[in-house]
Amino acid sequence: MPRTHALRTQVQCTVNGDEVDFLCADEASLLNALRDELGLTGVKEGCGTGDCGACTILVDGKVNCACLMFAPEAEGSSILTVEGIAQGDELHPLQQTFLEGAALQCGVCTPGFLVAAKALLDDNSDPTETEIRYALAGNLCRCTGYDKIIRAVQEAAVQLNGASK
């Protein structure tokens, strides 16, 4: 149960594999807590209403918009942000294929796409194009269009399947 300290609530959870403890206002969004309290600026604010997917994170393995969650709701949760996708200095295949395939431009939407795509590939290692498009439907890109993003996810799936064989 979160504890309250002078109008701020203490939240304990796991973020990108690390146990964290932070204080936040009850009305603070998880997006703002991740950025302001934990310094995880890869989580982007696009719309603030859950329509664009720029703030997509995984909470207990499920895709969520961080802008729609109050920070105290994260108590006891396991959260994954884009910062937790790479293994040390080694990029995740999704990150590498996004770079190689020019599947990004301004970068505001990229973290959300990467996290949503990771959730898809964690659940379905060989998705069809339709399944990829459906899984990424909550993420909007205003710069690149979607074909390069879809191709990058397809290539990452191929690479991940080759690595697991």
Side-chain angles (χ1 to χ4, degrees):
M1 174 72 100
R3 295 187 307 261
T4 302
H5 300 279
L7 304 177
R8 292 174 59 91
T9 299
Q10 179 180 8
V11 178
Q12 295 176 325
C13 58
T14 303
V15 178
N16 299 330
D18 296 325
E19 297 293 326
V20 298
D21 187 332
F22 61 90
L23 291 173
C24 62
D26 287 346
E27 68 277 4
S29 71
L30 183 54
L31 167 68
N32 288 337
L34 290 169
R35 292 181 60 81
D36 300 340
E37 303 300 329
L38 300 177
L40 297 172
T41 57
V43 182
K44 305 295 184 202
E45 181 170 8
C47 65
T49 58
D51 294 319
C52 74
C55 66
T56 300
I57 59 172
L58 300 184
V59 179
D60 296 328
K62 303 291 182 203
V63 173
N64 277 279
C65 290
C67 72
L68 296 181
M69 270 184 82
F70 289 115
E73 292 179 293
E75 175 68 23
S77 297
S78 178
I79 297 168
L80 179 76
T81 70
V82 71
E83 289 92 346
I85 292 177
Q87 296 298 316
D89 289 339
E90 186 175 333
L91 294 178
H92 186 279
L94 277 165
Q95 294 168 309
Q96 193 64 46
T97 59
F98 266 63
L99 284 172
E100 291 170 359
L104 55 105
Q105 211 161 16
C106 81
V108 172
C109 69
T110 306
F113 271 107
L114 288 167
V115 172
K118 182 176 184 335
L120 168 65
L121 296 180
D122 286 349
D123 288 340
N124 179 355
S125 64
D126 191 23
T128 65
E129 180 179 337
T130 300
E131 290 169 328
I132 294 169
R133 288 183 183 276
Y134 181 79
L136 302 181
N139 297 78
L140 302 178
C141 176
R142 294 171 178 91
C143 299
T144 65
Y146 297 90
D147 289 330
K148 290 180 180 180
I149 294 168
I150 302 305
R151 287 195 302 268
V153 175
Q154 288 171 321
E155 178 58 29
V158 168
Q159 289 181 21
L160 287 166
N161 284 327
S164 65
K165 290 182 179 177

